[in-house]
């Protein structure tokens, strides 16, 4: 059956701990609402409101609470933005069906994180409370790797910005790239044949690696074996021997998350296989 093409505008969800640099990286970000106090005149990432005003905004698309403070965003703000800085709890409540949502996690080492928070004027006590309040949810996203991309921002901001640009360029051009199109769980919805098992026998699994790449090892009907690597910076296809196929498959089963190709076609994030 034919592919049903679904084009939606993209919005990039930027997640990261305090001090990860997510506010510096986000392009044209959503200005969300919060009940926390403004830190100073340069603190312009939010609209600052009183707790009793939260109920005045019925068109919320996401909501979270960190410590005693509430955070939320509205559809109007998402409509006029490109990126949305959001935490993991807020991501679970996010409802924006009119958009394709690409999640990007900004990681930072604890040492650099603390240096940045001290440099922006936070006290040791404030830092400790903030990190404790957000640790549970960010430990969860790190353990589950529940994001589309990860950018390590431990060095120069320009390097992280360049990586973000590659991701945005890659996602924007996806429908035009014939080499990669069947991986696109975001723009295409596959109308599969009745017998999905036959599809799985032919296509096998994609492996999502710690390097944020998709890898496939697919036996062909001709008896050949094909190896594909797909990432924002790389697209590689080559035929390999049966011995190489077995070696790579064993390696990826030990190190990477296996996702059924049919799950990617159906628009799901995929399920681990054992």
């Amino acid at each position: 059956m034919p592919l049903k093409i679904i084009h939606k505008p993209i919005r990039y969800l930027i997640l990261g701990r305090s001090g990860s640099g997510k506010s510096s990286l986000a392009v044209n970000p959503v200005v969300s609402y919060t009940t926390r106090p403004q830190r100073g005149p340069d603190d312009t990432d939010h609209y600052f409101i009183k707790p009793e005003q939260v109920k005045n905004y019925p068109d919320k698309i996401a909501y979270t609470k960190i410590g005693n403070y509430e955070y939320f965003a509205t559809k109007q703000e998402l409509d006029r933005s490109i990126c949305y800085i959001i935490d993991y709890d807020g991501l679970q409540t996010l409802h924006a069906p009119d958009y394709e949502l690409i999640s990007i996690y900004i990681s930072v080492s604890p040492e650099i994180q603390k240096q940045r928070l001290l440099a922006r004027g936070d006290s040791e006590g404030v830092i400790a409370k903030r990190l404790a309040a957000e640790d549970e949810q960010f430990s969860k996203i790190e353990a589950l790797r529940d994001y589309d991309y990860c950018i390590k921002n431990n060095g120069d901001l320009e390097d992280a910005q360049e990586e973000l640009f590659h991701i945005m360029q890659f996602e924007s051009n996806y429908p035009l790239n014939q080499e990669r199109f069947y991986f696109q769980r975001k723009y295409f919805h596959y109308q599969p044949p009745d017998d999905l098992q036959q599809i799985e026998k032919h296509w096998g699994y994609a492996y999502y690696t710690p390097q944020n790449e998709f890898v496939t090892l697919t036996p062909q009907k001709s008896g050949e074996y094909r190896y594909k690597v797909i990432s924002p910076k790389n697209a590689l296809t080559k035929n390999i021997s049966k011995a190489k196929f077995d070696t790579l498959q064993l390696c990826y089963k030990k190190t990477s998350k296996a996702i059924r190709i049919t799950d990617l076609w159906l628009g799901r994030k995929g399920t681990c296989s054992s």
Side-chain angles (χ1 to χ4, degrees):
M1 297 178 69
L3 291 171
K4 179 183 178 183
I5 302 176
I6 304 171
H7 292 281
K8 294 182 181 181
I10 299 174
R11 292 295 181 269
Y12 297 92
L13 309 177
I14 311 297
L15 301 101
R17 295 173 181 265
S18 296
S20 63
K22 56 186 182 292
S23 296
S24 299
L25 287 170
V27 179
N28 187 21
V30 167
V31 181
S32 56
Y33 294 78
T34 181
T35 59
R36 75 160 170 81
Q38 189 172 9
R39 297 191 183 108
D42 295 331
D43 185 9
T44 57
D45 296 334
H46 302 282
Y47 297 117
F48 298 94
I49 63 174
K50 302 294 184 183
E52 59 270 20
Q53 294 179 284
V54 173
K55 63 179 182 296
N56 296 335
Y57 298 88
D59 56 342
K60 301 178 188 68
I61 57 170
Y63 171 91
T64 189
K65 190 171 185 179
I66 300 177
N68 295 321
Y69 302 124
E70 297 173 273
Y71 297 78
F72 65 89
T74 62
K75 185 178 185 303
Q76 287 83 352
E77 284 297 322
L78 188 63
D79 287 343
R80 57 180 176 232
S81 303
I82 296 174
C83 293
Y84 179 16
I85 300 170
I86 189 171
D87 67 12
Y88 191 55
D89 287 347
L91 182 60
Q92 308 312 304
T93 69
L94 178 61
H95 181 69
D98 295 334
Y99 294 96
E100 286 302 337
L101 303 173
I102 312 295
S103 56
I104 304 173
Y105 183 60
I106 313 300
S107 71
V108 63
S109 70
E111 297 78 17
I112 293 177
Q113 179 189 25
K114 187 172 182 180
Q115 290 174 14
R116 290 174 179 168
L117 294 178
L118 288 171
R120 78 182 189 187
D122 292 351
S123 67
E124 293 272 3
V126 168
I127 292 173
K129 288 181 180 178
R130 176 72 181 184
L131 299 187
E134 67 181 18
D135 188 63
E136 181 179 354
Q137 60 173 303
F138 284 109
S139 295
K140 187 185 302 180
I141 190 175
E142 289 162 355
L144 296 174
R145 290 171 59 193
D146 190 14
Y147 44 75
D148 294 312
Y149 298 98
C150 179
I151 296 175
K152 292 183 179 179
N153 188 25
N154 291 319
D156 292 336
L157 181 64
E158 290 79 9
D159 292 337
Q161 287 173 329
E162 183 176 0
E163 191 167 353
L164 177 61
F165 171 76
H166 279 298
I167 291 170
M168 296 173 78
Q169 185 181 47
F170 179 70
E171 289 290 346
S172 297
N173 292 333
Y174 236 140
L176 305 179
N177 192 324
Q178 294 302 310
E179 179 65 27
R180 306 176 187 178
F181 86 93
Y182 63 83
F183 273 92
Q184 182 49 285
R185 63 213 184 279
K186 298 181 174 70
Y187 290 96
F188 297 98
H189 177 72
Y190 183 68
Q191 307 289 329
D194 293 334
D195 191 356
L196 287 179
Q197 290 183 347
Q198 291 301 316
I199 292 291
E200 289 170 11
K201 285 179 183 177
H202 179 61
W203 289 102
Y205 291 88
Y207 294 97
Y208 184 54
T209 74
Q211 291 74 40
N212 300 314
E213 296 177 331
F214 283 114
V215 173
T216 55
L217 297 162
T218 54
Q220 304 296 301
K221 290 181 178 180
S222 62
E224 298 175 325
Y225 295 87
R226 188 162 294 162
Y227 170 58
K228 286 178 179 280
V229 179
I230 296 176
S231 76
K233 297 180 181 179
N234 183 34
L236 168 69
T237 302
K238 64 180 180 180
N239 289 335
I240 56 176
S241 66
K242 174 67 164 61
K244 184 67 172 178
F245 176 91
D246 292 339
T247 300
L248 288 172
Q249 189 172 58
L250 181 62
C251 172
Y252 286 121
K253 281 185 176 179
K254 289 180 178 179
T255 62
S256 305
K257 178 181 179 182
I259 302 174
R260 292 185 302 177
I261 294 294
T262 45
D263 282 340
L264 297 181
W265 278 344
L266 290 167
R268 297 190 290 264
K269 282 193 173 183
T271 56
C272 282
S273 66
S274 56

